[in-house]
Amino acid sequence: FPVTIGKLEKLIRQAVAEIKSKWQLPSSGFIAGGSIANLVWEYVSGKKAVVNDIDVFITSEGSEEADSFEWQKKEINAKGGDLNIQ
């Protein structure tokens, strides 16, 4: 399925919006992992995506330089349940 960079960006934004509409996410951080890739594949292929969890990486507060960030991963169980903090 050939997709232009512009179309890919639109699909990723659509996937992030869908995740935000269905699950409660932390107020800061960024989403990474298969949840976005699976939803983009659904949009392109028409095959239903499975989202088991959502990985959100959060930077430590007060850090101004990208190379000094301390990362915290929060895994959101997409089927309900607690957050796993690693």
Side-chain angles (χ1 to χ4, degrees):
F1 302 99
V3 177
T4 65
I5 296 295
K7 177 69 172 177
L8 181 58
E9 182 178 349
K10 183 178 178 181
L11 292 170
I12 291 170
R13 289 183 188 280
Q14 182 180 347
V16 170
E18 182 173 340
I19 289 168
K20 286 180 175 181
S21 75
K22 291 183 177 180
W23 296 284
Q24 184 176 355
L25 301 176
S27 59
S28 65
F30 65 91
I31 301 170
S35 59
I36 292 175
N38 290 351
L39 287 170
V40 168
W41 178 247
E42 177 181 313
Y43 305 148
V44 172
S45 71
K47 297 179 182 180
K48 184 70 177 156
V50 175
V51 177
N52 294 319
D53 62 32
I54 303 159
D55 297 324
V56 180
F57 291 88
I58 301 170
T59 60
S60 61
E61 291 186 35
S63 180
E64 295 180 10
E65 296 183 28
D67 60 353
S68 66
F69 283 10
E70 293 179 22
W71 300 99
Q72 180 181 34
K73 176 184 173 187
K74 289 192 176 186
E75 185 176 282
I76 299 171
N77 182 339
K79 296 181 180 178
D82 297 332
L83 294 176
N84 298 317
I85 301 174
Q86 301 175 347

